[in-house]
Amino acid sequence: MSALLSFARFEVVRLLRSWKFLAITVGFPVVFYMLFLGERGSGQVIDGTVPWRVYLMVSMCTFGALVAALNAGGSRLATERSTGWARQLRITPMPAWAYVMTKVTASMLVVLPVLALVELVGLTFGDVRLGIGQWFALTALLWVTALPFAVLGVFVGFMVNAETAYPVVTALMFVLGYFGGLFNPVSQMPQALQSAAKVLPTFHHALLALEFLSGQTLGGINWLILVGYTAVLGLALLWKYRVEEARGLA
Amino acid sequence: MLQTGTGSGLPPGVKVSEALELVRRLYAHPASLTNTVAQAGISSLLGCRTNALSGGEAQRVRFALAIAGDPELVFLDEPTVAMDVEGRRTFWRMMRQFGEEGRTILFATHHLEEADQIADRVIVINHGRVVADGPGATLKAAVTARHLRFVITNPDPDRYDRLEGVTDVRISGTGVTLISLDADATARDLVKSGVDFKDLEVTGACLEDAFVALTERTRCREDDGPG
């Protein structure tokens, strides 16, 4: 346990020091949000339940969480692995699960400031008005449900190398973002794309928050799909780790 | 374990002291910090960022990380590849001290003189098969090949090839080196043949010759063998 804590602290310190990485990761979704804000009127109501401005903020939170998790897990991890440092760590007595868990936790930590900043923009420029309790509950919900993104990020970091990480992460970001209905409401998409959206974690991540904000009960199916993604990706990650261990790679 | 790869093997964005501290914490019974720092010769590097190290410095830090857990057995995979002569000497001096404390060091190398000078036991592996195993001196003794060097104004390669026992002829300028399996016979033959040589010198094989002889012998055996 003390090994896990030492490694976690080491990782967090390293993360906080890489301010360029943090600035880009946190700044990107915020800038994206601002661009969308400038483009659209805010009077529209989506699917008869939530105003466009709320829909947009939630979508950008989801997008921000995705970007943060993919950058922290995917690109950063792939680069780190290419240096051989991960291999060096693997010969220490630190258990495999501690390594993977720390990486997922570190990604989750990066997600949090992204959510806070996007919400701040929502509050100041986005014309989103919520009670203080609602803000906190929304943040907590968006954060907890970002776990499948964090696991996905680390999984991607394990699957790609330093060169392929960038295109893969970018592709995932836009495929999951666009088809998950983060840039355009799913209900305004063609029928085929609508059914595609319903299997993507981004769609369900945003939908849970929207359900919460419009006072509906949170859909069990949304939770189930997010938990499913976390479990499947988590198992895939474990498998990948085992295969590498057997081959003596990292 | 110490490996040489494309990357530095060190975490970016931290000081050497922080990386070392982390790795020490991951072991239940790490070696003392003072010992590790002294053995790897990294006391002047502790405050440096890992991405600001030279190849040799990074290798020393990697070595520190490899011994931080106080291991009894250390694997080194071509440890001196990126080092200059000075760095290589310092490194092996450190290794010797480290080994004298009763630890085992296993290293792979393509520098055969390194294996000869440093290792107590040399194992030659050819195409995945062990072809020799023993102290460097024994390995060299097993190879009967000797070098006969002399100087001659107009070297004539065809002529030396036919001398008794000669397996190979190397000529550079006026210097001729004959590699012979029977140095005495070759020398007698050389005198008899009336070659006008100067400065004749007969030396034993180096480990590199032993290596070539050993690996070639197995290759021949493989080629001759059935199927």
Side-chain angles (χ1 to χ4, degrees), chain B residues 144-225:
Chain B
T144 47
R146 295 286 186 274
H147 287 190
L148 290 93
R149 283 196 196 87
F150 57 86
V151 177
I152 190 161
T153 335
N154 290 309
D156 175 10
D158 294 338
R159 206 163 159 191
Y160 316 131
D161 234 1
R162 290 194 300 265
L163 295 173
E164 204 180 329
V166 171
T167 55
D168 198 7
V169 178
R170 291 175 206 153
I171 295 174
S172 69
T174 55
V176 178
T177 305
L178 306 179
I179 291 104
S180 166
L181 289 174
D182 186 347
D184 302 327
T186 308
R188 272 194 295 270
D189 213 10
L190 186 64
V191 173
K192 242 187 283 167
S193 69
V195 173
D196 187 23
F197 61 84
K198 279 196 301 189
D199 298 340
L200 178 66
E201 187 185 11
V202 181
T203 55
C206 60
L207 192 62
E208 199 162 308
D209 296 311
F211 179 80
V212 171
L214 286 164
T215 49
E216 267 177 6
R217 203 179 296 160
T218 32
R219 202 182 308 148
C220 296
R221 220 181 283 150
E222 270 166 19
D223 291 345
D224 296 343

Side-chain angles (χ1 to χ4, degrees), chain B residues 48-210:
Chain B
C48 297
R49 287 286 175 107
T50 51
N51 21 351
L53 301 172
S54 75
E57 290 169 343
Q59 188 69 332
R60 260 148 56 207
V61 173
R62 277 196 291 270
F63 177 61
L65 297 181
I67 62 171
D70 199 15
E72 284 176 16
L73 172 63
V74 181
F75 290 94
L76 308 169
D77 185 6
E78 303 203 28
T80 54
V81 157
M83 291 184 191
D84 54 25
V85 180
E86 181 105 1
R88 196 171 288 181
R89 279 207 190 145
T90 319
F91 183 80
W92 286 122
R93 203 174 52 234
M94 278 161 17
M95 280 303 126
R96 278 208 170 284
Q97 279 168 8
F98 189 66
E100 275 159 14
E101 293 168 11
R103 298 168 218 262
T104 306
I105 300 168
L106 183 66
F107 69 96
T109 183
H110 280 110
H111 293 286
L112 296 175
E113 68 279 23
E114 230 169 42
D116 193 18
Q117 287 160 17
I118 310 295
D120 301 319
R121 181 177 165 195
V122 179
I123 300 175
V124 180
I125 296 175
N126 184 33
H127 291 280
R129 218 185 284 173
V130 175
V131 293
D133 179 353
T138 316
L139 257 61
K140 283 188 288 187
V143 180
T144 47
R146 295 286 186 274
H147 287 190
L148 290 93
R149 283 196 196 87
F150 57 86
V151 177
I152 190 161
T153 335
N154 290 309
D156 175 10
D158 294 338
R159 206 163 159 191
Y160 316 131
D161 234 1
R162 290 194 300 265
L163 295 173
E164 204 180 329
V166 171
T167 55
D168 198 7
V169 178
R170 291 175 206 153
I171 295 174
S172 69
T174 55
V176 178
T177 305
L178 306 179
I179 291 104
S180 166
L181 289 174
D182 186 347
D184 302 327
T186 308
R188 272 194 295 270
D189 213 10
L190 186 64
V191 173
K192 242 187 283 167
S193 69
V195 173
D196 187 23
F197 61 84
K198 279 196 301 189
D199 298 340
L200 178 66
E201 187 185 11
V202 181
T203 55
C206 60
L207 192 62
E208 199 162 308
D209 296 311

